[in-house]
Each structure stands twice: as structure tokens, then as C-alpha cells.
Amino acid sequence: MSESRPLLYVSRLLPEPVMATVRERYQLLTEPEEGPPSPAVLRQGLQEATAAIVTLSERIDAQSLSAASRLKVVANYAVGYNNIDLAAARHHSIVLTNTPDVLTDATADLTWALILATARRVVEGDALVRAGDWTGWSATQLLGAEVAGRTLGIIGMGRIGQAVAHRAVGFRMPVHYYNRGTRLTSPPGAQWAGVSLPDLLRDSDFVSVHVPLTEQTRHLIGASELAAMKQTAILINTARGPIVDEAALVDALERRTIAGAGLDVYEDEPRLHPGLSSLPHVVLLPHLGSATWYARVQMGMICLRNVDAVLAGRPAPNPVL
């Protein structure tokens, strides 16, 4: 009976509720593992399967897709899809889908965790206590930055950028945003203002990045942009690593051109630019933006709904192309 079910390739182990549904509906080509597949295993999986669920870590190029003669749909376990050659997928009539909406709140929450942790030096304080080096309260110990009432600059006001902006209301923060789309109306109690990127960088106390990674946004934040920021400003990136020039960021942090950074993504994950991990005024997270139980399970279920639809001859609910 299992042989009658479509062959599905899953590149990485997903949360158990998702895997249970996968095993119920499909024949797994191979048992996925926690770690990333080798390039050879990835190519073989795409070549033999009828459908595939892959993660952002898997780079799927034109050569891999040209050999995937049976493949009808690739469900990307992410909102972004810069890991997949879109032109090649289109050329081979392979449907590509993503997982919008369900990770918006999780990523926005984590953005705020980084804002607060970096501004208030939470990681440094935790390390001090754990090391047994805390000698008691001091009026000058680990002084950080105020958050409430300061200006939050958001680069990219899509779903996640707007969710971050909504959370700023509770901190009485005016929000300056740079967005290529239409200007947005401030919701009740909020102070939103669409501005140019140079004005946002000049005036913001916190700059948070929320644009997708494209050729136009690669190194959108480089040496000149960092130099344009306030010396007291903090940069937050929970979008994609290459949007920020990591070498320029390390240089700016070492020179104290800006006050700090909170990062969940990196230019060459999982590797860091030399010197980044030794800087005390940086909070570094291992790409946890969508890492809540609810979000990660729902992402998998969305992938399955898209696979189900395409293999049944219906339009995908969340097509990228």
C-alpha cells in the first residue's frame, strides 16, 4: 500500500506532528535527519521524488532542478525563498511555495527580544551572574540604553515589519519606516512615518531590518549606512544575513561607530565574520526567528497543504510562482 503513495523528499527533520502527517500521507524517500543533507543526497532526493519539502539552508540550483524530471512541487519551509533558483523552477514548471503569516508573530517577538536584550545588556548580565563575578548592586554597573520613547526605524514594512511596529506602541516609540511599497496609515495609538532610508538611519535609535534578500537588498546596510547612524544606535537583523555587510558591521562595532547589534541571521551561516563573536555589545542568536513550537508545526502543515494541493491537481494555496 505504501508504494501507491506519492514519493516525498523531506530534507530536514521537522517537528513530530508534521512528520506524523507526512508518514500517514506519503512515502518518504529517505528518513530526514536533524542536520542538513549533503549536496549529493539533496540532488538525489529532488531527482527521485514527486514532491519535496526543503528548508532555507538547502541551496537548490538550476542544475539540481534540471535533473528533477519527476518533481512537481517544492514547498519551502520558510517565508523567504532566496535559496531556490526561481528562473530554473519556472523553466521546468515546478511549483514553488512558501509559508507566510504563521511565523510573523514569532519573528516579531524575537525582534523585540533582541532590541531589549541588546539595549539592556541582558546577555552580559546573565554571564556575570553565572560566572560568580557579581559582587552586588552598583549604580554604574552595565548601564544600557533606554527603549521607551526612543525612535524605532524599520526597514521593510511587510507582515513582520508591521508586527514589530505594532509592538512599539506599548513602548511609546515613534516608528520611522522605509518601504518600497505604498505608505501605511498609522493604527490607533501609533506614530508611523514613512521616510527615506538616509533619514531613517540618521534619526533612529534602533534600526530593525525586515526586507527580503534580493540582489537589490544584498548589503543594503554597509559601511556608509552604518556611518550614517547615530553613535548611540543599535542595529537589529532578524531578516536575512547578507542584507548586512558583516565585515562592515564588525568594523563599525569595533570602532564604536554604532553602539551595538542584535543578530539572529548571518551572512554565511553558520559561520561568523572574524571578530563578531568576541564583541560584548552584540547579542548573537542561532537563527531562532520562527522557533516556537506553534510556528514551526504550522509551517510544516502549510508545506503539506501546498504539496497535497499540487499533487491533487489543484492550485497551491501559497505559491511563489
Side-chain angles (χ1 to χ4, degrees), residues 21-45:
T21 306
V22 165
R23 294 186 177 98
E24 178 185 321
R25 299 181 188 174
Y26 294 95
Q27 180 185 354
L28 270 173
L29 189 64
T30 57
E31 278 294 328
E33 300 180 357
E34 285 277 2
S38 68
V41 169
L42 177 62
R43 283 195 300 272
Q44 182 180 1

Side-chain angles (χ1 to χ4, degrees), residues 124-281:
E124 292 175 81
D126 179 85
L128 183 73
V129 175
R130 289 179 186 274
D133 295 332
W134 185 44
T135 57
W137 184 89
S138 167
T140 59
Q141 187 175 74
L142 293 177
L143 300 182
E146 292 283 335
V147 176
R150 298 308 190 261
T151 299
L152 173 61
I154 296 180
I155 301 175
M157 280 286 268
R159 293 181 183 92
I160 295 172
Q162 289 183 52
V164 171
H166 279 291
R167 285 156 172 76
V169 173
F171 288 88
R172 307 186 311 280
M173 298 177 79
V175 172
H176 291 182
Y177 68 88
Y178 170 69
N179 198 47
R180 285 187 150 189
T182 57
R183 298 219 166 190
L184 303 169
T185 302
S186 300
Q191 308 171 58
W192 293 3
V195 298
S196 68
L197 183 57
D199 286 348
L200 183 149
L201 295 170
R202 182 194 65 211
D203 297 334
S204 298
D205 299 293
F206 298 88
V207 174
S208 192
V209 178
H210 299 286
V211 292
L213 176 61
T214 66
E215 286 308 308
Q216 290 70 42
T217 63
R218 186 177 297 274
H219 285 190
L220 178 67
I221 304 300
S224 60
E225 288 76 23
L226 293 163
M229 292 169 62
K230 295 180 180 181
Q231 193 171 6
T232 54
I234 290 172
L235 177 70
I236 305 295
N237 188 9
T238 57
R240 291 290 179 263
I243 296 167
V244 176
D245 183 337
E246 209 161 288
L249 176 61
V250 170
D251 183 66
L253 290 165
E254 288 177 340
R255 295 172 180 270
R256 297 283 178 165
T257 302
I258 63 173
L263 306 176
D264 186 44
V265 290
Y266 308 92
E267 193 163 357
D268 189 25
E269 294 183 13
R271 289 173 289 276
L272 304 182
H273 188 82
L276 186 61
S277 62
S278 62
L279 296 168
H281 48 309

Side-chain angles (χ1 to χ4, degrees), residues 63-105:
Q63 184 178 3
S64 298
L65 292 173
S66 66
S69 58
R70 304 172 187 171
L71 193 63
K72 295 182 179 179
V73 55
V74 175
N76 209 37
Y77 187 80
V79 174
Y81 40 85
N82 54 283
N83 55 314
I84 299 172
D85 189 317
L86 299 186
R90 185 181 294 109
H91 177 74
H92 295 288
S93 300
I94 297 170
V95 177
L96 173 62
T97 70
N98 67 345
T99 61
D101 297 325
V102 292
L103 50 71
T104 297
D105 283 332

